[in-house]
Amino acid sequence: MSSSPDTTTSDLLDKVINLCKRRGFIFPSAEIYGGFRSAYDYGPLGVLMLRNVKNAWWHSMVQMREDVVGIDAAILGPPAVWAASGHLETFTDPLVDCKKCHERWREDKIDGKCPNCGGTDFTEPRAFNLMFKTAAGPVEGEGSTAYLRPETAQGMFVNFANVLSTSRKKPPFGIAQIGKSFRNEITPQNFVFRTREFEQMEMEYFVPPADAVQWHEHWIEERFNWYLALGIPEESLRRYVHAPEDLSHYSKGTTDIEFKFPWGFDELEGIANRGDYDLGAHTKASGEKLEYFDQATNERYTPYVIEPAAGVTRAMMAFLLSAYHEDEVEGETRTVLQLDWRLAPYQIAVLPLSKKPELEGVAKEVLSKLQPHFMCDFDVTQSIGRRYRRQDEVGTPLCITVDFDTLEDRAVTVRDRDTTVQTRVKIDDLLHHIWEAMTPA
Ligand code: ATP
């Protein structure tokens, strides 16, 4: 039986980081030049999993809803956007320097003690703006200042009127976006948990103000259930309600979904009731009325916004930590990533028992039957036992073995990652069998 993962141990974190490097999920960026602190590159398996996390979010937030549409907005933005949103003035962290070792820290993250040297004497906190500033065009100067977006949300607010008039939606409705964001974090740390460049999955849900509290509750539950449905155990998740005095300048109420990371519970996603702060601020600054006119009641109003804001890479890390298991198969310890099939880099591995051309021929035929529907690996090297272990370690839910009997009976062996149970299935029935196996009961 597999041991249940204890996501609180740093041992687990080391094992997952090691597996990510060894099997091509996540590499430290620019490693051949000594690395670039806090940046990571996603390798052949990592890019597949990252895509799957985003697809799972998009599927639940856009595809399965008739009230949400997507956009893909620019990453570079003019100062006016960030002045109106409040980021230029308030998107800061309190920064302190340890007077003993001169390391720089976020004051709110260190409990009065330097994590590097244990020193307790710090400089006065200074507000440090987290936005990356750059210059657009060949001439640097006031007029060319641009910022890399620190969140995707503002793209939805500045396009509110465009989306409203082109999509024919009316409140309650949402605009969703997945994309890169950039924050000059003072202390990037904990693998991909906090990096300076990361991806977000955010949705702004515009509602009549009177319904905002109810929709806030709705989205907290929806988002909590999304993580559960994709395999994070309930005991590793909790809701954290922000105290009124700790709310961000735009928020009327925020609940975070937290995951039990190896260092303790920490934020996976924030779900905020942003009131009419954003549409109001952009209306004031741009002069464009970002309102909704309800023809039924003859009323014009600024919708309130409920925002579930999640991180792609943080979610991927939580899924990996939850999926990592070690168990014993045939007297040997095996590592298995029990990833939901929607998240696993490969759903299927096709493995001809030997390199004999006649077996490879049928195996390629099976592969081409499955490739249009699933991401497949094809592996012919080493013993079948070794190949099963390799697929278990990267979370491939099903392995399909083509053997000499296949040439006679046109059937293959389908092996289940979690139970290791093997079933003989006719090639003609394979697609149906796989769909059945992958659809949750
Ligand atoms: P934190 O308090 O951890 O800095 P935050 O509350 O500022 O996060 P939000 O602005 O609410 O974060 O961003 C929404 C989500 O984006 C976060 O819940 C997280 O999943 C992700 N995220 C934010 N900052 C980072 C980062 N530096 N690296 C990776 N993911 C991030």
Side-chain angles (χ1 to χ4, degrees):
M1 256 341 313
S2 68
S3 56
S4 131
D6 180 357
T7 54
T8 57
T9 65
S10 59
D11 185 36
L12 174 67
L13 181 60
D14 288 344
K15 285 178 176 173
V16 168
I17 294 174
N18 183 294
L19 188 145
C20 283
K21 173 82 200 298
R22 196 160 36 80
R23 298 305 313 273
F25 283 81
I26 304 175
F27 307 124
S29 195
E31 205 181 8
I32 60 167
Y33 292 101
F36 182 50
R37 192 172 171 218
S38 144
Y40 290 90
D41 296 341
Y42 290 76
L45 296 194
V47 71
L48 293 174
M49 183 167 173
L50 208 57
R51 229 168 232 259
N52 291 343
V53 172
K54 290 185 273 190
N55 285 345
W57 187 88
W58 193 266
H59 184 266
S60 122
M61 301 296 274
V62 181
Q63 187 172 331
M64 295 300 288
R65 300 194 64 106
E66 64 290 352
D67 55 351
V68 181
V69 293
I71 61 163
D72 195 308
I75 287 173
L76 277 178
V81 170
W82 308 107
S85 68
H87 282 82
L88 276 180
E89 205 181 321
T90 61
F91 195 59
T92 56
D93 276 342
L95 184 152
V96 291
D97 291 349
C98 170
K99 285 193 177 166
K100 198 163 145 207
C101 73
H102 306 292
E103 275 286 324
R104 193 158 282 178
W105 303 104
R106 245 174 89 168
E107 190 198 25
D108 56 328
K109 294 279 178 193
I110 56 169
D111 290 332
K113 200 166 161 197
C114 174
N116 186 40
C117 72
T120 51
D121 200 7
F122 293 96
T123 56
E124 282 299 307
R126 279 169 292 143
F128 173 75
N129 195 295
L130 297 179
M131 278 198 296
F132 280 100
K133 191 175 180 178
T134 187
V139 186
E140 257 188 66
E142 263 310 294
S144 68
T145 300
Y147 291 91
L148 298 186
R149 66 182 179 196
E151 61 175 31
T152 61
Q154 298 305 319
M156 278 77 104
F157 299 129
V158 300
N159 280 297
F160 174 77
N162 285 336
V163 174
L164 196 63
S165 63
T166 53
S167 69
R168 308 180 59 81
K169 298 285 175 204
K170 54 181 194 176
F173 82 101
I175 311 179
Q177 177 169 209
I178 299 176
K180 289 248 172 166
S181 293
F182 302 81
R183 296 181 187 179
N184 198 1
E185 300 277 3
I186 300 162
T187 37
Q189 59 193 348
N190 292 329
F191 196 38
V192 295
F193 178 82
R194 186 181 303 288
T195 50
R196 296 200 170 109
E197 173 182 345
F198 55 98
E199 274 187 288
Q200 290 186 306
M201 315 182 275
E202 298 193 296
M203 200 269 287
E204 310 304 321
Y205 198 72
F206 300 94
V207 301
D211 301 342
V213 170
Q214 181 199 329
W215 278 112
H216 191 205
E217 289 307 315
H218 168 87
W219 282 110
I220 295 166
E221 290 319 300
E222 282 282 305
R223 297 302 306 143
F224 194 90
N225 290 337
W226 184 78
Y227 293 101
L228 283 182
L230 287 169
I232 298 191
E234 188 149 15
E235 61 273 18
S236 300
L237 289 172
R238 73 174 190 198
R239 300 166 185 79
Y240 170 75
V241 182
H242 286 229
E245 61 274 20
D246 294 337
L247 291 174
S248 312
H249 62 283
Y250 54 75
S251 178
K252 290 188 177 307
T254 299
T255 295
D256 290 344
I257 296 174
E258 295 191 331
F259 174 73
K260 206 190 220 180
F261 283 97
W263 54 93
F265 273 101
D266 215 335
E267 177 177 336
L268 260 189
E269 162 158 2
I271 299 124
N273 174 357
R274 299 178 70 119
D276 60 2
Y277 177 83
D278 305 275
L279 293 182
H282 285 299
T283 295
K284 207 163 141 204
S286 70
E288 290 284 332
K289 283 212 165 84
L290 304 177
E291 300 172 331
Y292 175 70
F293 178 66
D294 188 341
Q295 282 174 336
T297 59
N298 228 7
E299 247 185 300
R300 185 176 293 283
Y301 67 90
T302 306
Y304 272 26
V305 173
I306 308 302
E307 176 195 71
V312 180
T313 37
R314 264 192 210 179
M316 175 165 162
M317 188 171 166
F319 289 128
L320 283 169
L321 287 164
S322 303
Y324 188 96
H325 288 71
E326 286 172 1
D327 62 7
E328 210 173 278
V329 171
E330 290 156 14
E332 270 183 48
T333 304
R334 83 164 174 159
T335 301
V336 53
L337 279 189
Q338 293 186 339
L339 288 170
D340 186 282
W341 69 271
R342 289 164 290 183
L343 300 177
Y346 298 119
Q347 283 87 56
I348 291 168
V350 177
L351 314 171
L353 193 64
S354 90
K355 280 186 185 162
K356 292 257 161 51
E358 60 269 37
L359 281 196
E360 267 201 63
V362 191
K364 284 272 165 72
E365 181 199 324
V366 171
L367 180 69
S368 55
K369 200 176 157 90
L370 301 177
Q371 271 174 328
H373 309 279
F374 304 103
M375 190 69 214
C376 300
D377 193 16
F378 187 80
D379 188 3
V380 290
T381 57
Q382 295 189 319
S383 74
I384 193 71
R386 285 250 183 130
R387 281 182 274 165
Y388 283 155
R389 296 292 172 279
R390 275 211 297 271
Q391 296 298 336
D392 289 343
E393 201 183 36
V394 300
T396 309
L398 296 177
C399 285
I400 294 176
T401 307
V402 174
D403 55 29
F404 289 100
D405 289 342
T406 309
L407 302 175
E408 308 299 322
D409 64 3
R410 300 275 303 161
V412 291
T413 302
V414 179
R415 174 188 175 272
D416 181 277
R417 174 195 68 198
D418 299 336
T419 60
T420 73
V421 167
Q422 305 192 4
T423 318
R424 199 78 187 159
V425 180
K426 291 272 181 212
I427 293 176
D428 284 345
D429 298 335
L430 205 48
L431 264 179
H432 178 74
H433 177 89
I434 295 169
W435 281 124
E436 292 271 295
M438 289 190 181
T439 310

